[in-house]
Amino acid sequence: MRFPRRCRAGSPWAPSSGPGPAAPAPPREDARWRGSFSAAQNPVSPGKRGENTAENKEIRLRIPIGSEHKGRSDTRSETVHRGRGMQPSDEDWMLRAIELGRRGRPAPNPHVGAVLTRGGRLIAGGHHEKAGTAHAEVNAIANAQGDTRGTTLYVTLEPCNHHGRTGPCTEAILQAGITRVVVGAVDPNPHVRGGGIERLRAAGVEVRTLVLSASAEALVAPWAKVQTTGLPYVLLSTGTGSRILPMEMDALWMGAREWDAAPTASAPLTVVAAPGVELLRRVARRSTSTTDRCLVFCPEARHAEYLLATGSAAITVVPLPYADGTPLPLSQALRELSRQGVVTLFVDAEEPLEQGLRDAGLVDGELERQPDRKVGT
């Protein structure tokens, strides 16, 4: 599987600001609303795109993306082109599922979206909001709030067929009486690849695969890399100016000097390599009253010394087989971060580290810095 070299606008890991087209702001979500929307709030089905003529009218749809509790309903507008009398295609519905899949913060799980339809009309949609919670397919079925027998399910990633923190989605699909499933991307994990599709087909469900597969695979590219290589998806900061952070990342690898100066963390996990014992003590004293998570790589021979310097701070010290003054074993470091649950890693550190990642072929994408503007320009 090939992964995108540059971050696509609108993907969860695209830059939140900077030159070029800006990625759309992530929609607001209400934790009480199970992933997305139901037909009661979106009775109009999307259609095929075409010319805006008398036979192909432009329709403004208001798609709920938040909560309707206590009369509230957060919405956004979406423009689609619908030919009169034309039924939406599988590609149209899969595009809607991909849009839903961009929501949530599911790491270390993948971004997944699902749409449930009957007779060319929308019934409900769902997405995977957070690891350990219901998957997109289950949320779409729950949001239907009615009879789902004989419906078609569009899902961006092959439904799982194994027990984890939640049950298999294939069983939920069968219990719901869904008779047709359209899949965007097949599961990249070689141990389970195709298992969900085979289970559904064996039960008599019609399954179509690889619909808008390139876009569906791009949606799960970071997770797919972890599944196939055991390494996180690495984004590298390039150019000069102010740092541009991706909209979604699990860890920020920064330089030791910046770590010393940074008053607060800007990522769920901050990673630093061999900052030195004195600097570690300084940051540890400053971090004892915060919940910021930090991970420090150090030479094996100095593990006990580094560990003692952390005190009671929330700093994880990971020893690696290298000595002071020698290059850090980057592949081993990245595998350790993957074990820590890191799917997307953003690196903005010293030039030798960044160049080492490039030379080892460990970089998957780049984010250019925002050029600093002079006063009056």
Side-chain angles (χ1 to χ4, degrees):
M1 180 183 297
R2 293 182 299 175
F3 304 106
R5 237 353 239 185
R6 290 276 178 174
C7 301
R8 301 185 180 187
S11 68
W13 45 89
S16 55
S17 61
R28 293 175 294 168
E29 293 288 348
D30 189 310
R32 297 167 294 179
W33 182 241
R34 288 188 297 259
S36 308
F37 57 85
S38 66
Q41 288 80 41
N42 183 32
V44 183
S45 300
K48 292 188 176 182
R49 292 168 174 78
E51 296 297 325
N52 187 21
T53 64
E55 293 297 317
N56 292 279
K57 295 183 179 180
E58 182 178 277
I59 304 173
R60 301 291 291 187
L61 303 183
R62 294 185 65 76
I63 311 300
I65 59 173
S67 170
E68 62 173 1
H69 295 287
K70 298 180 182 178
R72 298 192 311 272
S73 179
D74 296 325
T75 63
R76 67 181 173 88
S77 293
E78 178 182 281
T79 301
V80 299
H81 298 280
R82 186 183 186 191
R84 183 175 296 173
M86 294 177 64
Q87 287 288 336
S89 66
D90 286 348
E91 287 73 17
D92 293 324
W93 290 121
M94 185 59 67
L95 181 60
R96 175 66 59 82
I98 289 171
E99 291 169 352
L100 292 178
R102 295 192 178 109
R103 303 177 184 178
R105 292 295 299 269
N109 289 352
H111 280 270
V112 182
V115 168
L116 199 61
T117 71
R118 187 198 306 274
R121 295 183 65 83
L122 176 68
I123 294 178
H127 68 278
H128 184 34
E129 176 66 25
K130 184 179 180 181
T133 63
H135 290 187
E137 303 95 314
V138 175
N139 279 332
I141 293 168
N143 286 336
Q145 300 176 354
D147 186 10
T148 55
R149 290 175 297 178
T151 56
T152 297
L153 176 72
Y154 296 84
V155 60
T156 57
L157 183 66
E158 175 185 354
C160 65
N161 190 42
H162 55 272
H163 286 272
R165 282 189 277 184
T166 61
C169 290
T170 51
E171 295 308 311
I173 292 169
L174 295 176
Q175 290 174 13
I178 295 168
T179 55
R180 184 170 184 260
V181 175
V182 180
V183 176
V186 178
D187 196 315
N189 188 332
H191 300 293
V192 299
R193 182 180 178 88
I197 294 170
E198 291 175 4
R199 173 72 180 95
L200 294 174
R201 283 176 173 163
V205 177
E206 178 189 348
V207 181
R208 182 187 176 193
T209 62
L210 303 180
V211 174
L212 294 186
S213 58
S215 297
E217 288 171 2
L219 185 65
V220 297
W223 174 80
K225 186 186 177 185
V226 173
Q227 293 296 306
T228 54
T229 69
L231 302 174
Y233 190 89
V234 178
L235 297 175
L236 202 63
S237 181
T238 62
T240 59
S242 302
R243 173 194 295 152
I244 301 297
L245 295 175
M247 289 179 63
E248 183 173 331
M249 63 177 170
D250 305 304
L252 167 63
W253 191 330
M254 63 169 59
R257 289 183 181 178
E258 186 177 8
W259 188 48
D260 185 27
T264 57
S266 54
L269 176 67
T270 300
V271 181
V272 183
V277 173
E278 288 305 317
L279 172 56
L280 183 56
R281 287 197 185 101
R282 236 180 2 254
V283 174
R285 285 195 297 268
R286 192 173 63 222
S287 303
T288 51
S289 60
T290 71
T291 58
D292 299 338
R293 292 180 59 222
C294 296
L295 185 145
V296 172
F297 291 119
C298 74
E300 281 182 332
R302 304 191 65 186
H303 183 216
E305 186 182 2
Y306 267 74
L307 202 59
L308 184 63
T310 63
S312 59
I315 300 175
T316 301
V317 179
V318 178
L320 292 176
Y322 77 109
D324 279 328
T326 62
L328 185 77
L330 293 174
S331 291
Q332 287 183 256
L334 293 183
R335 289 189 188 281
E336 177 59 36
L337 292 178
S338 179
R339 284 191 286 270
Q340 296 284 335
V342 174
V343 175
T344 302
L345 171 67
F346 183 53
V347 180
D348 190 5
E350 298 89 349
E351 178 58 31
L353 171 64
E354 295 184 353
Q355 191 58 49
L357 290 169
R358 288 193 187 94
D359 294 342
L362 298 172
V363 177
D364 300 288
E366 299 175 352
L367 295 180
E368 293 189 11
R369 286 175 172 263
Q370 171 69 54
D372 293 324
R373 293 185 178 182
K374 296 182 180 179
V375 176
T377 61

